[in-house]
Amino acid sequence: MNEEQKEQKIERIITDWYTKSKENLYYFLKAVVGFEDMCSYTHKWLCEELQKNDKNVLILLPRGVFKTTIIGIGFPIWLLLFKNPNLRILI
């Protein structure tokens, strides 16, 4: 594999990462940010609910389920990177 092929492969990987991350909060947090302890059963649902843009959502989950990590850290990062870079968030 020559240098040009390597660069093309890297560019395809980055484009694929960007496209999946922009459309899927769960993928972004697990694969890109590195929240390895997330599981699809609990956290995928939570990420989908956050992506719906419903402002009036009550999320009740037990302690230690990454609520604060996902809602307070991961979701704002995702919003700023992919949805609205001029957004102001008060945490």
Side-chain angles (χ1 to χ4, degrees):
M1 196 182 274
N2 63 26
E3 284 297 314
E4 186 176 323
Q5 289 174 331
K6 287 180 183 178
E7 288 178 19
Q8 289 174 352
K9 184 177 180 179
I10 291 170
E11 190 169 322
R12 273 184 274 136
I13 291 169
I14 291 172
T15 303
D16 183 50
W17 164 83
Y18 182 81
T19 304
K20 286 181 181 178
S21 295
K22 188 174 184 177
E23 296 172 3
N24 190 332
L25 174 62
Y26 178 77
Y27 174 82
F28 173 71
L29 295 178
K30 183 148 179 136
V32 179
V33 177
F35 294 164
E36 295 294 326
D37 293 332
M38 291 178 63
C39 67
S40 63
Y41 179 75
T42 304
H43 302 111
K44 192 168 188 176
W45 168 84
L46 177 58
C47 291
E48 288 170 358
E49 288 297 316
L50 290 172
Q51 284 182 259
K52 287 181 184 177
N53 288 331
D54 292 335
K55 292 185 179 183
N56 298 322
V57 175
L58 175 63
I59 298 172
L60 298 174
L61 292 171
R63 303 174 39 175
V65 185
F66 288 126
K67 291 183 305 290
T68 303
T69 304
I70 293 171
I71 298 169
I73 299 171
F75 185 57
I77 291 170
W78 182 77
L79 285 174
L80 290 168
L81 286 175
F82 299 111
K83 300 301 177 186
N84 186 357
N86 297 319
L87 186 66
R88 293 182 182 186
I89 299 173
L90 175 65
I91 298 177

